[in-house]
Amino acid sequence: MRSKLAILLFVPNLIGYARMIMAVCAATCLPTHLWAFLQLMVLSMLTDMLDGIAARKLNQCSRFGEMLDIVADNACRTLAWLALFVVSGEKMSHLDAALCVIIPTMEWVTMMATQIAAFDNGKHWKNNNGNAPWLVKEIFRGGFWNPIGALTIAGIFGLPLAKLARLTGSIGPTFAPVLDWLIVLLYIGRAIGARAEIWVIASFLDKVLDGDRTPPQGFTHKTQ
């Protein structure tokens, strides 16, 4: 039997800790060292692929590692939207301001819903989509390794960083038109991701409300 310390020191979990440290370091770069911020964020997001590969190759898959990976992902993406909010200032549109609040909130609620479901039925969160609409199943097919899944992941991770790079002119005027078209594609990917998140959250709330219809014995609602 593996010890708790051994699980905490699994190689994929060490990668997860490193990603969290990179996110913290990136936060300290705001708002003045934006190029360093972007580099650290991209590095943290790219290493997201390494922990899964390490877990499978080294037979070091763990529930703790799954949660750590998702927390690291959400922390990086939330920080990216926060950076966009901070740097944009008065230049920020009403749409972007709303996205900076709505998207991180949806991502954290989705994380909560998927992890609770995974604990309830013992399945990996990526496999809890048996009754999902076609588009949602297609996103998850092959662990996101398909065109729609790849576009979705690119939109989820890349949209705030691409918008930040465009806003600050980090890539220079030569590549600005290319980045503009890339942002359009990333918006499409993020919209597809939002469709999956809405389904996850709606399914979770449906189960919660079903449970509330027949509260367990001894359960009483709080009264004023």
Side-chain angles (χ1 to χ4, degrees):
M1 180 180 292
R2 296 163 171 170
S3 69
K4 294 180 180 179
L5 179 60
I7 295 173
L8 292 173
L9 296 179
F10 278 175
V11 171
N13 295 341
L14 295 177
I15 295 174
Y17 305 145
R19 295 182 62 215
M20 295 293 291
I21 293 172
M22 281 188 279
V24 172
C25 292
T28 64
C29 295
L30 292 173
T32 53
H33 300 87
L34 292 176
W35 183 238
F37 171 84
L38 289 171
Q39 288 178 310
L40 284 169
M41 291 298 293
V42 170
L43 180 60
S44 177
M45 292 179 178
L46 289 177
T47 53
D48 180 37
M49 296 182 292
L50 299 180
D51 55 2
I53 295 173
R56 291 186 292 273
K57 294 291 185 181
L58 301 174
N59 192 26
Q60 292 185 343
C61 297
S62 65
R63 182 61 60 82
F64 174 79
E66 291 177 19
M67 292 190 296
L68 177 63
D69 179 49
I70 298 174
V71 169
D73 288 344
N74 279 17
C76 288
R77 295 196 298 264
T78 299
L79 179 58
W81 285 105
L82 178 62
L84 181 63
F85 184 85
V86 170
V87 174
S88 295
E90 295 180 355
K91 298 178 182 179
M92 174 165 279
S93 66
H94 294 299
L95 173 62
D96 283 344
L99 291 178
C100 286
V101 176
I102 294 172
I103 290 180
T105 301
M106 287 181 60
E107 290 178 346
W108 284 104
V109 174
T110 300
M111 186 200 81
M112 177 191 69
T114 56
Q115 293 309 297
I116 290 176
F119 271 102
D120 284 346
N121 57 31
K123 294 182 180 180
H124 191 283
W125 64 272
K126 293 180 182 178
N127 299 324
N128 281 323
N129 52 49
N131 61 339
W134 172 85
L135 181 59
V136 176
K137 289 183 178 179
E138 192 64 20
I139 294 171
F140 287 102
R141 181 171 59 84
F144 301 113
W145 290 99
N146 65 83
I148 294 179
L151 177 60
T152 302
I153 293 299
I156 289 174
F157 280 94
L159 180 59
L161 296 180
K163 289 177 68 65
L164 187 60
R166 185 68 178 91
L167 175 69
T168 59
S170 300
I171 64 167
T174 303
F175 296 100
V178 177
L179 184 57
D180 288 338
W181 280 106
L182 176 61
I183 289 174
V184 172
L185 287 176
L186 294 177
Y187 262 115
I188 295 173
R190 192 62 193 79
I192 297 174
R195 173 65 184 91
E197 290 165 341
I198 291 171
W199 175 80
V200 168
I201 294 171
S203 299
F204 174 71
L205 290 177
D206 185 60
K207 291 181 180 179
V208 170
L209 292 173
D210 274 344
D212 282 342
R213 294 174 64 187
T214 54
Q217 187 174 3
F219 176 85
T220 57
H221 288 285
K222 183 179 179 180
T223 57
Q224 298 296 328

